[in-house]
Amino acid sequence: AGDLGSSTRSREKIEILLKKDIKPGSKIIMSFGEIDCRIHMAKAVKGGANIDEVVEKTAAKFVKLPLEIAARGFRPIVWGPPQIIPKDEKLSSPTFPFIGTWEMRRDITYAYVGRLREHCAKAGIPFVALAGKYHPPMEKAERALFHDGTHLSQRLMPLALAELENAGVLEFK
C-alpha cells in the first residue's frame, strides 16, 4: 500500500495522481489489504505466526498512506477488504490465488478490518468495510453475491452506497 519501489509502483502512480489530477481537499477512497488477507498474512499465519501480531503490523503499515495524504490536504476514506472468497484452499488458481482455509482467511480478514478501523478512528479517517455485513459473519456468503465466484456482485451496490452514506462520505439529496 504505497511503498516506493514496489512491484506495482503504486506509490509512484499515486503521487502522479495527487500532483496532476486530484485537487487538495478532494475525497479519495483508498483500498488496501485484500491481497494481504488472502495471501501474505495468510502465509505468515499458516507458517505459525500469531494472527493478531501479523494483522497489527500490516494495519499499522497501511494506515501510514492515508495519514500522509491527509497531512497534504486531501480527505482520505479507507475501504476495507469487502469479501472473503467462499472457496476452499484446493480451489486456489494462478489468476486469483489464496492461501489457507476459508476459516483462517475469515479470521484474518475480520481481525484486519477491526485493527484498520481502530487506526483510522484514532486518526479521524472515515472507514468502511462490507465484510460480514451481507451474510452471517461466521458463515460463507452465498455464491450468488459473487459475480464470478471471487468478486462481489453489483447486487451489493445498495449496501456499499448506504455504508458510504452512513460514514459521511456520500450525501444523497
Side-chain angles (χ1 to χ4, degrees), residues 23-151:
K23 296 177 184 175
S26 296
K27 294 178 183 178
I28 302 171
I29 296 179
M30 310 180 83
S31 179
F32 35 75
E34 187 273 334
I35 293 170
D36 296 85
C37 289
R38 66 179 162 86
I39 298 176
H40 304 301
M41 287 189 280
K43 184 176 183 179
V45 170
K46 191 172 180 179
N50 176 280
I51 286 180
D52 293 331
E53 292 171 7
V54 169
V55 163
E56 172 54 30
K57 181 179 176 184
T58 304
K61 173 186 168 189
F62 285 167
V63 79
K64 290 177 185 176
L65 182 59
L67 289 172
E68 290 174 20
I69 289 173
R72 291 168 60 182
F74 298 95
R75 297 167 50 203
I77 298 102
V78 174
W79 180 267
Q83 88 282 14
I84 301 129
I85 303 165
K87 297 178 182 176
D88 295 316
E89 188 173 17
K90 65 184 184 301
L91 297 176
S92 181
S93 70
T95 55
F96 205 81
F98 52 90
I99 294 172
T101 64
W102 177 84
E103 291 80 7
M104 183 182 77
R105 290 180 282 112
R106 173 200 65 203
D107 294 346
I108 290 168
T109 301
Y110 290 146
Y112 173 72
V113 165
R115 289 303 297 144
L116 195 56
R117 183 184 310 278
E118 289 173 20
H119 281 285
C120 288
K122 284 182 195 174
I125 296 172
F127 179 87
V128 176
L130 297 183
K133 292 190 176 185
Y134 53 91
H135 61 93
M138 294 309 188
E139 298 176 16
K140 291 182 181 180
E142 296 176 31
R143 288 198 184 261
L145 296 174
F146 295 81
H147 75 86
D148 62 358
T150 299
H151 298 93

Side-chain angles (χ1 to χ4, degrees), residues 144-147 151-161:
L145 296 174
F146 295 81
H147 75 86
H151 298 93
L152 291 178
S153 165
Q154 287 294 311
R155 294 176 191 172
L156 292 172
M157 187 58 74
L159 173 63
L161 294 173

